[in-house]
Amino acid sequence: IAAILNGGGIRASIEAGDISLYNMKTVYPFDNQVAILTLRGAQLQEALAAATAAAPTASGAFPQVAGIEFCLNTSVPYQNGAQYGDTSYYAPADPESRVQILRIGGQAFDPEQSYTIATNDFLAAGGDSYAVFREAYLQNGYPTGVTLESALLQYATEALGGVIGEAYAAPQGRILQVAFQDVPLRSPELPAVALLQQAGIVFGISPESYAPDAALTYGQASAMLYRLAGAGTADDTLSAGYSWALDNGLLTTAEDGTLPAAAATVSREQLALLLQRFLDITQLSLPTTLQLPVLTDAAEISPFATAAVELACSSGLLLPDDNGCFAPQRAATRAAAAQALALLLQQGAPKTEAQ
């Protein structure tokens, strides 16, 4: 089961400190009840697409979810399909053009599977843009008789033991938004780029372009890791990240005594080495849950990078292709860097803050 409420139905935040029933009522002042309905994944896809039609402009229909993870690409214009009855809302002409549902209840999304949704009676009746909910509710839905504020009170007292912890003070990462035209839905790097963009760790080469297939430079890699370590901010320049990488030993001199230039391209084995050094300075441990593959081009890996490549492969940071080719001397892409850093972020980086 998953849950969806419209943002317009949540009317207040709960500040730190003691919480009263009055506080609960300010969050949910409309006496709406919890309603249950079941619908197919394709219907849920349509509902989320219609509810996010105005994004990135704020809208009361925007879905607040639990048990659902989805990506929204706001660079794609919303195209109206058929009008929902006599309302001012329209079905999406292509429900999959802007929204990609990743997981429901921790499992991969299946458009043909049936999903049970907890919502409020306003949305179950087709309120805002949720006409699809009304269709499902009329077929199989039912009211619970429990008001939203009562459900919130019961959850806080019984499930949380009367303490709403710090975990609820920050976004849960269930909704990822990206605005890059060259990171389309269902591209393998989309979730990683969206997650890192919202965290302020990666940025595009322009407001509209992330350039996922472009070669990664030492300056870009240093700046990404600098922010991921908690040492830098979005306002810092690439040179600040490059200086941090030098100071913390991520960048070292070559045998001829030279340092890699900030504009120089990072190879895949060098990216593995940067990631290994980042793990060392942040004291972050990654589970090596993958079986170390037999690399068909292992002879091309430089001796100094062998351990780093093995770590990257066994932890999932960087993987060979289906033929076992790691391509250690090939340029690392910005997409590969995003996927590796997203895994580090999900594993708890930064563990300690490098100086």
Side-chain angles (χ1 to χ4, degrees), residues 280-298:
D280 289 341
I281 68 169
T282 57
Q283 301 176 19
L284 179 66
S285 296
L286 283 183
T288 53
T289 55
L290 301 180
Q291 183 177 355
L292 186 63
V294 176
L295 301 178
T296 58
D297 55 356

mmCIF file of all heavy atoms in Angstrom, residues 280-298:
data_model
loop_
_atom_site.group_PDB
_atom_site.id
_atom_site.type_symbol
_atom_site.label_atom_id
_atom_site.label_comp_id
_atom_site.label_asym_id
_atom_site.label_seq_id
_atom_site.Cartn_x
_atom_site.Cartn_y
_atom_site.Cartn_z
ATOM 1 N N ASP A 280 38.475 6.969 1.574
ATOM 2 C CA ASP A 280 39.494 6.982 2.629
ATOM 3 C C ASP A 280 39.390 8.239 3.491
ATOM 4 O O ASP A 280 39.413 8.161 4.727
ATOM 5 C CB ASP A 280 40.895 6.886 2.021
ATOM 6 C CG ASP A 280 41.189 5.515 1.443
ATOM 7 O OD1 ASP A 280 40.493 4.554 1.819
ATOM 8 O OD2 ASP A 280 42.105 5.407 0.601
ATOM 9 N N ILE A 281 39.256 9.416 2.871
ATOM 10 C CA ILE A 281 39.292 10.650 3.654
ATOM 11 C C ILE A 281 37.977 10.900 4.393
ATOM 12 O O ILE A 281 37.953 11.586 5.413
ATOM 13 C CB ILE A 281 39.637 11.882 2.781
ATOM 14 C CG1 ILE A 281 38.517 12.189 1.798
ATOM 15 C CG2 ILE A 281 40.964 11.702 2.082
ATOM 16 C CD1 ILE A 281 38.683 13.530 1.102
ATOM 17 N N THR A 282 36.875 10.329 3.884
ATOM 18 C CA THR A 282 35.594 10.523 4.562
ATOM 19 C C THR A 282 35.261 9.373 5.510
ATOM 20 O O THR A 282 34.246 9.422 6.203
ATOM 21 C CB THR A 282 34.444 10.660 3.548
ATOM 22 O OG1 THR A 282 34.412 9.507 2.709
ATOM 23 C CG2 THR A 282 34.622 11.913 2.709
ATOM 24 N N GLN A 283 36.111 8.353 5.513
ATOM 25 C CA GLN A 283 35.914 7.187 6.377
ATOM 26 C C GLN A 283 34.576 6.510 6.107
ATOM 27 O O GLN A 283 33.928 5.975 7.016
ATOM 28 C CB GLN A 283 36.023 7.572 7.856
ATOM 29 C CG GLN A 283 37.360 8.195 8.219
ATOM 30 C CD GLN A 283 37.418 8.658 9.662
ATOM 31 O OE1 GLN A 283 36.622 8.229 10.494
ATOM 32 N NE2 GLN A 283 38.359 9.532 9.972
ATOM 33 N N LEU A 284 34.162 6.543 4.872
ATOM 34 C CA LEU A 284 32.906 5.908 4.470
ATOM 35 C C LEU A 284 33.200 4.514 3.943
ATOM 36 O O LEU A 284 34.070 4.332 3.095
ATOM 37 C CB LEU A 284 32.211 6.740 3.397
ATOM 38 C CG LEU A 284 30.883 6.201 2.849
ATOM 39 C CD1 LEU A 284 29.818 6.218 3.928
ATOM 40 C CD2 LEU A 284 30.436 7.024 1.648
ATOM 41 N N SER A 285 32.479 3.532 4.438
ATOM 42 C CA SER A 285 32.646 2.157 3.984
ATOM 43 C C SER A 285 31.467 1.764 3.112
ATOM 44 O O SER A 285 30.312 2.031 3.444
ATOM 45 C CB SER A 285 32.741 1.199 5.175
ATOM 46 O OG SER A 285 33.895 1.481 5.948
ATOM 47 N N LEU A 286 31.766 1.124 1.993
ATOM 48 C CA LEU A 286 30.722 0.644 1.102
ATOM 49 C C LEU A 286 30.653 -0.875 1.172
ATOM 50 O O LEU A 286 31.684 -1.545 1.188
ATOM 51 C CB LEU A 286 31.016 1.050 -0.344
ATOM 52 C CG LEU A 286 30.737 2.494 -0.758
ATOM 53 C CD1 LEU A 286 31.036 2.649 -2.237
ATOM 54 C CD2 LEU A 286 29.303 2.875 -0.478
ATOM 55 N N PRO A 287 29.467 -1.433 1.200
ATOM 56 C CA PRO A 287 29.366 -2.893 1.155
ATOM 57 C C PRO A 287 29.785 -3.415 -0.216
ATOM 58 O O PRO A 287 29.336 -2.912 -1.248
ATOM 59 C CB PRO A 287 27.878 -3.156 1.420
ATOM 60 C CG PRO A 287 27.189 -1.897 0.996
ATOM 61 C CD PRO A 287 28.147 -0.779 1.302
ATOM 62 N N THR A 288 30.681 -4.377 -0.242
ATOM 63 C CA THR A 288 31.122 -4.974 -1.509
ATOM 64 C C THR A 288 30.264 -6.210 -1.762
ATOM 65 O O THR A 288 30.697 -7.351 -1.573
ATOM 66 C CB THR A 288 32.607 -5.329 -1.456
ATOM 67 O OG1 THR A 288 32.844 -6.139 -0.288
ATOM 68 C CG2 THR A 288 33.459 -4.087 -1.370
ATOM 69 N N THR A 289 29.046 -5.962 -2.201
ATOM 70 C CA THR A 289 28.045 -7.023 -2.324
ATOM 71 C C THR A 289 28.076 -7.708 -3.680
ATOM 72 O O THR A 289 27.466 -8.757 -3.847
ATOM 73 C CB THR A 289 26.644 -6.443 -2.092
ATOM 74 O OG1 THR A 289 26.438 -5.345 -3.011
ATOM 75 C CG2 THR A 289 26.501 -5.905 -0.669
ATOM 76 N N LEU A 290 28.774 -7.122 -4.654
ATOM 77 C CA LEU A 290 28.804 -7.708 -5.990
ATOM 78 C C LEU A 290 30.027 -8.601 -6.144
ATOM 79 O O LEU A 290 31.101 -8.298 -5.622
ATOM 80 C CB LEU A 290 28.829 -6.603 -7.051
ATOM 81 C CG LEU A 290 27.663 -5.613 -7.043
ATOM 82 C CD1 LEU A 290 27.835 -4.580 -8.139
ATOM 83 C CD2 LEU A 290 26.342 -6.340 -7.218
ATOM 84 N N GLN A 291 29.847 -9.673 -6.864
ATOM 85 C CA GLN A 291 30.975 -10.548 -7.142
ATOM 86 C C GLN A 291 31.917 -9.843 -8.107
ATOM 87 O O GLN A 291 31.489 -9.275 -9.110
ATOM 88 C CB GLN A 291 30.497 -11.864 -7.748
ATOM 89 C CG GLN A 291 31.617 -12.858 -8.007
ATOM 90 C CD GLN A 291 31.098 -14.178 -8.537
ATOM 91 O OE1 GLN A 291 29.884 -14.370 -8.629
ATOM 92 N NE2 GLN A 291 31.980 -15.083 -8.878
ATOM 93 N N LEU A 292 33.204 -9.852 -7.790
ATOM 94 C CA LEU A 292 34.179 -9.174 -8.635
ATOM 95 C C LEU A 292 34.194 -9.831 -10.005
ATOM 96 O O LEU A 292 34.493 -11.023 -10.134
ATOM 97 C CB LEU A 292 35.568 -9.247 -7.994
ATOM 98 C CG LEU A 292 36.675 -8.448 -8.707
ATOM 99 C CD1 LEU A 292 36.355 -6.967 -8.675
ATOM 100 C CD2 LEU A 292 38.020 -8.727 -8.054
ATOM 101 N N PRO A 293 33.867 -9.095 -11.050
ATOM 102 C CA PRO A 293 33.791 -9.717 -12.374
ATOM 103 C C PRO A 293 35.178 -9.988 -12.950
ATOM 104 O O PRO A 293 36.171 -9.384 -12.541
ATOM 105 C CB PRO A 293 33.055 -8.650 -13.194
ATOM 106 C CG PRO A 293 33.424 -7.354 -12.541
ATOM 107 C CD PRO A 293 33.530 -7.671 -11.079
ATOM 108 N N VAL A 294 35.223 -10.905 -13.898
ATOM 109 C CA VAL A 294 36.447 -11.150 -14.650
ATOM 110 C C VAL A 294 36.493 -10.120 -15.769
ATOM 111 O O VAL A 294 35.638 -10.118 -16.670
ATOM 112 C CB VAL A 294 36.461 -12.579 -15.227
ATOM 113 C CG1 VAL A 294 37.711 -12.775 -16.083
ATOM 114 C CG2 VAL A 294 36.420 -13.603 -14.099
ATOM 115 N N LEU A 295 37.446 -9.216 -15.693
ATOM 116 C CA LEU A 295 37.544 -8.139 -16.672
ATOM 117 C C LEU A 295 38.350 -8.605 -17.877
ATOM 118 O O LEU A 295 39.495 -9.053 -17.743
ATOM 119 C CB LEU A 295 38.191 -6.906 -16.039
ATOM 120 C CG LEU A 295 37.463 -6.326 -14.815
ATOM 121 C CD1 LEU A 295 38.223 -5.130 -14.256
ATOM 122 C CD2 LEU A 295 36.034 -5.926 -15.178
ATOM 123 N N THR A 296 37.758 -8.483 -19.040
ATOM 124 C CA THR A 296 38.427 -8.941 -20.257
ATOM 125 C C THR A 296 39.586 -8.043 -20.656
ATOM 126 O O THR A 296 40.435 -8.455 -21.443
ATOM 127 C CB THR A 296 37.424 -9.013 -21.414
ATOM 128 O OG1 THR A 296 36.828 -7.715 -21.606
ATOM 129 C CG2 THR A 296 36.325 -10.029 -21.112
ATOM 130 N N ASP A 297 39.615 -6.830 -20.121
ATOM 131 C CA ASP A 297 40.699 -5.895 -20.439
ATOM 132 C C ASP A 297 41.508 -5.551 -19.197
ATOM 133 O O ASP A 297 42.040 -4.439 -19.077
ATOM 134 C CB ASP A 297 40.152 -4.634 -21.099
ATOM 135 C CG ASP A 297 39.069 -3.949 -20.265
ATOM 136 O OD1 ASP A 297 38.687 -4.502 -19.205
ATOM 137 O OD2 ASP A 297 38.598 -2.872 -20.665
ATOM 138 N N ALA A 298 41.623 -6.509 -18.275
ATOM 139 C CA ALA A 298 42.341 -6.258 -17.015
ATOM 140 C C ALA A 298 43.791 -5.857 -17.261
ATOM 141 O O ALA A 298 44.377 -5.088 -16.486
ATOM 142 C CB ALA A 298 42.280 -7.500 -16.129
#
